[in-house]
Amino acid sequence: MKKSIISILLIVTLAGSKVLAQDFKEKYRPQFHFTPKANWMNDPNGMVYHNGIYHLFYQYYPDAKVWGPMHWGHATSKDMISWKEQPIALYPDSLGYIFSGSAVVDKNNTAGFGKDALVAIFTHHDPVQEKQKTGKHETQSIAYSLDDGKTWTKYKGNPVVQNPGISDFRDPKVRWFEAQKKWIMTLASKDRITFYSSPDLKSWSRESDFGAKEGGHGGVWECPDLFPIKHEGKDVWVLIVNINPGGPNKGSAGQYFLGNFDGKTFTSNSKETKWLDYGTDNYAAVTFANTGGRNILMGWMSNWQYANQVPTDPWRSANTIARELGLKTVGNEIYLTSIPVKELDALNSTGFLLKNVKVQDQLDLTERAKNKSGLFRLDLTTESKADFSIVLSNEVGNELIVGYNKAGNQYYIDRIKSGKVDFEKGFAEKHTAPRLATGSKISLTLLADVASVELFADNGLTVMTDIFFPDTPISKFHIKSVSGIFLDTLQYKSIKSRNDR
Ligand code: FRU
């Protein structure tokens, strides 16, 4: 009797510790992208660098693998690659669920919570009022932490921005505007962006609206961001606006505008709708605060079209790799560029370099690419003279194809036959993206984790992020071109699991 109780206890403890001590062995568990150990995650929130640590908060529902009452989960990292999950930072309260938002370091103690306090600015979403259809169920609130994000105190005067009667009124992204010594809040209000300003993070005044008639309007505007990047000696202001649905390949995506911000009004110089990422799986992407001269973007690697159905267990969703942003002029337009942060290189493992290789029909790199993790980074350069593709496949015939189509001058990711696709009818599709670069030299960087590919073409001018779920791990690797291409260089590096460091 006693013995059996002990063995039951042992089994329970072992089962419990298995979940806690994450082993990274579950099917589809990303190895160099952040995932919560268990349960539901969506948008990255409150990303901020503070005292040598990167903080990632995220929309989290700790009780199930589907979206529910939102909390802010928390993870920390020294390099934006290896993340350690921390206790939940913010729980729902009488004002509602804790929806998306941002965090700042209050260096001048403007709010009076303490010098260098971390202050989170987020949306309170009240489900009771939502049912009553008051149109006022989303308000903006703040909380602060004086111990590096470990514990948080919600401000007694919440909410700090009341709702004027707009049903979608959320996702505040706050930054310090040094020229006028004030805080600027960029807020998504349904089909436009509203800017507010504040001296102390507590009292906010409405400054202006932007975008009711600009950009993509195939869905609700959400999760904005506003920041300058130096380009050719001048500050160019970048306004990111995530939109759902209405993305270039359906569902959720991030668009951006380039222009000027004078502390009150944003003016766009963009003549066309521009997209941060043409893949289907980079949503709610915004930048880290307090990273000095660096602008680092990270998004949720999923799409509201199928996020609640993807076949992973016991968690759902990952984040994209962190990306360094820049600007590049092409013809008369300026575009954002994004490339993986250099910190990822620390996970590079064995690899090989090929130079001056002609690919006619196909080049089978399976044997050369064999490595422990099966994950890799590929950098190749070639000419935009013919169609070619990079094919990742396995023993059971699943194929994920990343390619260039010359006639359309497009890049694409085809996940039609990539494995498990039947959990949502629109998942098995081919996604395309325009090649924006004008020169004939193509350079591609491809990151392949267990269940995702991220393509950075032409030094990050065209980016595509797609998730996929092969029935067995990817084990074969080919470059294909029927009409033939010449590879100037092909550098393959296997990437270690962030768990193996
Ligand atoms: C975007 C979003 C945000 C909202 C959050 C709720 O994915 O819809 O607008 O704050 O998710 O979880």
Side-chain angles (χ1 to χ4, degrees):
M1 178 69 175
K2 239 184 174 173
K3 217 174 163 191
S4 64
I5 290 178
I6 291 172
S7 58
I8 288 172
L9 274 179
L10 200 66
I11 291 169
V12 170
T13 327
L14 280 177
S17 67
K18 198 173 167 228
V19 176
L20 289 175
Q22 190 177 359
D23 59 12
F24 281 76
K25 294 252 158 53
E26 305 107 321
K27 192 173 189 185
Y28 304 136
R29 172 70 81 181
Q31 302 291 309
F32 62 91
H33 289 87
F34 176 72
T35 47
K37 283 173 200 147
N39 294 314
W40 170 268
M41 172 176 82
N42 57 291
D43 316 356
N45 295 151
M47 293 190 288
V48 61
Y49 183 62
H50 185 48
N51 289 340
I53 298 289
Y54 293 92
H55 292 266
L56 161 68
F57 300 90
Y58 46 90
Q59 290 288 280
Y60 188 51
Y61 183 41
D63 298 328
K65 246 176 47 175
V66 289
W67 191 89
M70 283 289 114
H71 301 54
W72 271 27
H74 185 200
T76 51
S77 171
K78 288 196 176 115
D79 57 7
M80 298 173 280
I81 307 294
S82 296
W83 293 97
K84 191 166 186 308
E85 198 167 331
Q86 304 289 350
I88 289 175
L90 296 171
Y91 286 79
D93 56 45
S94 62
L95 293 176
Y97 303 159
I98 314 296
F99 268 24
S100 287
S102 49
V104 295
V105 181
D106 189 6
K107 291 180 184 159
N108 304 326
N109 195 16
T110 61
F113 298 138
K115 188 173 159 24
D116 283 333
L118 276 179
V119 181
I121 309 95
F122 57 88
T123 299
H124 259 126
H125 176 104
D126 182 345
V128 181
Q129 281 202 48
E130 186 182 19
K131 277 208 192 83
Q132 295 164 350
K133 299 206 187 319
T134 60
K136 297 190 170 183
H137 59 279
E138 293 188 332
T139 53
Q140 318 316 319
S141 291
I142 59 177
Y144 61 93
S145 169
L146 302 174
D147 58 2
D148 290 328
K150 282 190 200 72
T151 58
W152 290 84
T153 308
K154 289 183 187 131
Y155 174 52
K156 287 198 185 64
N158 281 340
V160 293
V161 179
Q162 294 285 359
N163 189 316
I166 301 169
S167 56
D168 297 287
F169 187 69
R170 56 180 178 261
D171 309 338
K173 183 77 161 80
V174 173
R175 67 173 291 111
W176 180 247
F177 192 73
E178 178 59 28
Q180 295 168 20
K181 304 252 182 291
K182 62 184 186 185
W183 298 100
I184 295 294
M185 177 192 291
T186 305
L187 191 74
S189 28
K190 205 181 186 106
D191 61 350
R192 65 197 68 185
I193 297 299
T194 303
F195 297 103
Y196 291 82
S197 71
S198 168
D200 58 4
L201 296 164
K202 294 171 177 168
S203 60
W204 292 92
S205 319
R206 192 172 156 275
E207 294 285 356
S208 66
D209 279 353
F210 168 80
K213 297 208 165 62
E214 297 184 67
H217 281 280
V220 178
W221 282 22
E222 299 183 316
C223 298
D225 196 356
L226 175 75
F227 52 92
I229 301 188
K230 270 256 172 310
H231 182 59
E232 294 166 359
K234 281 199 246 129
D235 270 349
V236 173
W237 283 81
V238 182
L239 176 64
I240 289 179
V241 178
N242 285 278
I243 178 171
N244 177 56
N249 280 292
K250 288 200 255 177
S252 327
Q255 60 182 318
Y256 66 91
F257 304 86
L258 301 178
N260 187 41
F261 182 71
D262 62 6
K264 185 174 177 60
T265 311
F266 177 83
T267 333
S268 168
N269 300 329
S270 296
K271 293 170 208 80
E272 56 189 57
T273 305
K274 293 176 169 153
W275 299 99
L276 276 178
D277 192 317
Y278 284 84
T280 40
D281 299 289
N282 180 3
Y283 192 55
V286 290
T287 58
F288 280 85
N290 201 34
T291 44
R294 297 179 77 184
N295 295 291
I296 301 165
L297 181 94
M298 198 159 79
W300 172 47
M301 199 154 56
S302 197
N303 190 308
W304 282 115
Q305 301 252 109
Y306 43 71
N308 278 282
Q309 284 95 45
V310 294
T312 55
D313 189 53
W315 81 100
R316 269 212 183 95
S317 302
N319 282 346
T320 68
I321 208 72
R323 299 159 183 200
E324 191 98 35
L325 298 179
L327 291 172
K328 173 133 178 86
T329 303
V330 181
N332 297 325
E333 283 282 319
I334 308 176
Y335 294 94
L336 262 185
T337 57
S338 20
I339 52 171
V341 290
K342 62 180 184 318
E343 284 85 345
L344 179 63
D345 296 349
L347 289 183
N348 285 345
S349 183
T350 53
F352 59 89
L353 173 67
L354 303 180
K355 283 189 172 165
N356 306 327
V357 182
K358 172 112 185 108
V359 178
Q360 187 67 60
D361 197 22
Q362 67 168 5
L363 176 66
D364 185 348
L365 295 169
T366 303
E367 281 309 310
R368 301 196 72 155
K370 276 219 155 62
N371 66 78
K372 190 168 146 233
S373 69
L375 323 171
F376 66 86
R377 172 193 179 121
L378 178 73
D379 289 286
L380 69 77
T381 49
T382 184
E383 294 281 326
S384 58
K385 287 188 181 143
D387 294 356
F388 67 91
S389 59
I390 303 161
V391 182
L392 314 186
S393 57
N394 59 12
E395 303 301 328
V396 296
N398 301 152
E399 275 189 348
L400 187 280
I401 311 167
V402 179
Y404 172 70
N405 167 260
K406 176 156 171 41
N409 197 28
Q410 286 175 328
Y411 296 106
Y412 64 88
I413 300 180
D414 178 344
R415 63 180 178 192
I416 294 172
K417 292 191 205 142
S418 60
K420 192 142 190 59
V421 293
D422 60 359
F423 51 88
E424 195 265 337
K425 63 175 177 354
F427 189 81
E429 283 188 356
K430 177 175 172 178
H431 306 134
T432 60
R435 176 166 194 252
L436 299 173
T438 45
S440 66
K441 192 67 82 193
I442 285 184
S443 71
L444 299 184
T445 296
L446 183 68
L447 300 182
D449 201 337
V450 169
S452 64
V453 282
E454 290 163 280
L455 172 70
F456 304 88
D458 304 309
N459 302 311
L461 255 184
T462 300
V463 178
M464 300 186 83
T465 303
D466 270 23
I467 54 173
F468 69 111
F469 303 96
D471 295 314
T472 63
I474 293 302
S475 55
K476 300 182 185 184
F477 173 46
H478 294 81
I479 313 278
K480 298 190 179 176
S481 178
V482 176
S483 46
I485 55 161
F486 188 78
L487 298 174
D488 301 309
T489 57
L490 181 153
Q491 170 98 59
Y492 178 101
K493 286 183 184 145
S494 67
I495 298 183
K496 284 182 282 194
S497 166
R498 66 185 170 93
N499 199 33
D500 286 348
R501 303 186 82 190

